Amino acid sequence: MKIDLANWPRNEHFEFYRCAQEPYWGICVELEVAKLYQQSKTKGFSFSAALLFLATKAANRIENMRYRIVGDEVYNFETIHISNVFLRENKLFSFGFVEFTNNFEQHCRDYKNKTEQALNAQQILLDEDSARPDTLHFSALPWLGFSSMSHARTFKADESCPKISIGKLQKEGKSLNLPFSVHVHHGFVDGYHMGLYIESLQGLINEF
């Protein structure tokens, strides 16, 4: 749905941050994922696939996480999908699109298919859809723990997709913590909305 900017309560904030040289801001938190990780082992599903599924499901619950700049307009997309970094066999990577579905089993099949497709890919984009605006940009650094994160990006006026990264699992007593980084366009997402997102995501992880 296209936003009527003239009557949008957030328009002043959007225009303020749209003019910034760096309109993105981000945080790093630790998600507690012991239960989810154990379930992935006992039930045989991909832990990474589950994280993408839940992180996207949580984002779809938060209207501000669904705003995107398209040309000179702002849209509120009904559903946000996944643009993920998939590792190739030669350790380079490709970006691939995974359509969001509320059916977890279907999501796992789609994620597995894209993972296999990427193994011998020759191009950085597996598909044109990976560059769609109605996506979250996901990446993973399973070799490293981290407490801060930055991203290489092109400073374009219409770039507005949130960027999410996960790190190496860290065991602390009975807890299993996952570094989780989120960068968002400040024209759309403030600290309040980020808090709602992280709270929703942790809740989905706990309930899964």
Side-chain angles (χ1 to χ4, degrees):
M1 178 184 71
K2 186 167 74 170
I3 299 295
D4 177 6
L5 295 178
N7 295 301
W8 189 33
R10 192 172 178 84
N11 189 46
E12 184 179 11
H13 292 73
F14 170 65
E15 292 297 341
F16 180 84
Y17 285 108
R18 190 180 192 180
C19 296
Q21 279 191 313
E22 171 53 288
Y24 275 72
W25 70 281
I27 62 163
C28 290
V29 299
E30 288 189 339
L31 299 174
E32 209 295 311
V33 296
K35 178 185 173 185
L36 180 64
Y37 183 77
Q38 184 58 43
Q39 283 187 319
S40 74
K41 296 303 179 185
T42 56
K43 296 183 179 180
F45 59 78
S46 163
F47 176 75
S48 296
L51 245 298
L52 263 66
F53 175 77
L54 296 175
T56 309
K57 186 172 184 177
N60 275 306
R61 289 180 169 182
I62 311 298
E63 180 175 324
N64 294 65
M65 294 289 285
R66 303 197 311 271
Y67 291 143
R68 297 293 186 274
I69 302 170
V70 181
D72 293 325
E73 305 290 347
V74 173
Y75 283 79
N76 175 10
F77 284 95
E78 183 176 350
T79 303
I80 295 301
H81 305 282
I82 298 162
S83 179
N84 188 53
V85 170
F86 291 94
L87 197 64
R88 301 183 204 168
E89 196 167 31
N90 63 4
K91 306 310 178 188
L92 293 172
F93 64 86
S94 295
F95 300 104
F97 176 83
V98 179
E99 184 174 5
F100 180 72
T101 170
N102 279 307
N103 184 315
F104 179 61
E105 289 75 19
Q106 182 62 52
H107 166 79
C108 286
R109 288 191 291 270
D110 294 342
Y111 178 84
K112 182 180 179 182
N113 289 340
K114 196 66 68 168
T115 301
E116 293 173 350
Q117 181 185 343
L119 284 175
N120 296 305
Q122 301 297 316
Q123 66 278 7
I124 196 167
L125 295 180
L126 288 178
D127 41 59
E128 292 183 1
D129 283 339
S130 60
R132 280 168 49 167
D134 58 339
T135 57
L136 300 172
H137 293 175
F138 285 98
S139 60
L141 289 81
W143 317 277
L144 299 170
F146 57 74
S147 58
S148 66
M149 170 71 69
S150 63
H151 292 274
R153 72 182 194 87
T154 303
F155 285 78
K156 300 188 300 182
D158 62 347
E159 185 176 2
S160 54
C161 293
K163 303 176 188 305
I164 296 175
S165 298
I166 61 174
K168 183 179 181 180
L169 290 165
Q170 309 284 331
K171 188 168 180 59
E172 295 183 16
K174 294 183 179 180
S175 296
L176 189 63
N177 298 325
L178 180 74
F180 188 84
S181 165
V182 191
H183 283 72
V184 291
H185 195 295
H186 211 334
F188 298 144
V189 180
D190 303 326
Y192 171 74
H193 311 107
M194 184 73 85
L196 291 177
Y197 175 62
I198 297 299
E199 181 181 27
S200 178
L201 174 54
Q202 184 66 70
L204 287 170
I205 291 170
N206 296 345
E207 296 163 6
F208 193 77

